[in-house]
């Protein structure tokens, strides 16, 4: 039957995408797969849709009903369940992603007789919405994912398919980091000398849904206020973040991507404007986070 693969993801009020995501998992031809979903306290009909699909599913589905909290907590809980179930491989996705047909077969073939411990899976972004920043976000995501097979130490993509032993060697996700926690196991594994490749043999389809600039900035502003926690909890965290900051990402300057900028100048300008806004928010958020943390330390010392 082959080694066990656990597909894990968290979800929260995502009824718009959850059925397509779960159906793509259930349609995988690889037999020894179970699916572990951590629902982060959804208040819409997300879990109802999951259970409806699970009734007639041939693959094993486990739904973990959690109180609403941070997405990292839900993700870590699902992965811990996979560890307890004895999974040998781990596929970590988001609930707005759709797996390509035969993806796990392709991944299991790629991982045979290799020292590669994890794979970044290229994403093909799409949206059914036609407003400008929805198009910009899709354009930006596809630029980031046009990066070739090798994964360098300045990559900002997270590995999604792991040998379980390789994942555990990194210490896994730190649920308390909140912001940009998804890439940290990938960076640690590379620093340990582990090998990560981009799985050019397959892809994920990523539904960006409707993107409005003000909502995107509000969401990222929250993550940036928590970013100092990530920077302080990782060795050399500040410099790691700086060399991967928006305008410093090597993938942006690939020849293929520059050709895309020329073909789509308005989308390119929109992407640069978005990066500029996010950079300003990031600097403000990091400074604010550090001031808040310093204030708390001072107050704690006074209490002592």
């Amino acid at each position: 039957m082959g080694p066990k693969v656990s597909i894990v993801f968290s979800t929260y009020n995502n009824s718009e995408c959850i059925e397509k995501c779960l159906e793509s998992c259930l349609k995988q031809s690889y037999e020894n797969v179970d699916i572990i979903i951590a629902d982060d306290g959804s208040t819409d009909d997300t879990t109802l849709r999951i259970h409806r699909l699970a009734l007639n599913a041939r693959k094993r589905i486990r739904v973990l009903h959690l109180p609403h909290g941070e997405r990292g907590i839900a993700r870590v809980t699902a992965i811990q369940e996979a560890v307890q179930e004895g999974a040998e491989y781990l596929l970590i996705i988001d609930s707005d992603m759709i797996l390509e047909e035969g993806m796990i077969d392709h991944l299991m073939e790629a991982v045979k007789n290799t020292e590669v411990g994890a794979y970044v899976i290229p994403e093909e972004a799409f949206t059914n919405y036609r407003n400008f920043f929805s198009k910009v976000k899709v354009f930006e995501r596809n630029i980031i994912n046009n990066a070739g097979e090798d994964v360098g130490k300045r990559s900002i993509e997270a590995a999604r398919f792991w040998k379980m032993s390789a994942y555990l060697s990194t210490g896994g996700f730190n649920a308390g980091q909140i912001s940009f926690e998804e890439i940290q196991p990938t960076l640690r594994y590379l620093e340990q000398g582990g090998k990560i490749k981009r799985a050019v043999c397959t892809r994920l389809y990523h539904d960006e849904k409707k993107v409005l600039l003000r909502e995107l900035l509000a969401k990222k502003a929250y993550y940036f206020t928590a970013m100092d926690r990530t920077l302080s909890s990782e060795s050399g965290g500040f410099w790691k973040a700086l060399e991967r900051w928006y305008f410093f990402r090597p993938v942006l300057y690939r020849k293929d991507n520059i050709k895309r900028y020329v073909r789509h100048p308005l989308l390119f300008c929109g992407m640069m404007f978005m990066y500029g806004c996010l950079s300003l928010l990031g600097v403000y958020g990091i400074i604010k986070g550090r001031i808040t943390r310093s204030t708390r330390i001072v107050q704690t010392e006074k209490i002592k």
Side-chain angles (χ1 to χ4, degrees), residues 224 227 245 277-289:
F224 284 132
M227 188 174 179
W245 201 255
C277 292
L278 290 171
S279 294
L280 291 174
L281 275 178
V283 171
Y284 172 76
I286 292 170
I287 293 173
K288 183 179 178 181

Side-chain angles (χ1 to χ4, degrees), residues 94-113:
D94 296 332
S95 59
D96 53 7
M97 292 177 171
I98 299 171
L99 279 60
E100 183 179 56
E101 186 175 345
M103 168 183 282
I104 296 178
D105 284 306
H106 294 315
L107 290 170
M108 294 304 291
E109 186 63 32
V111 83
K112 281 182 181 178
N113 303 317

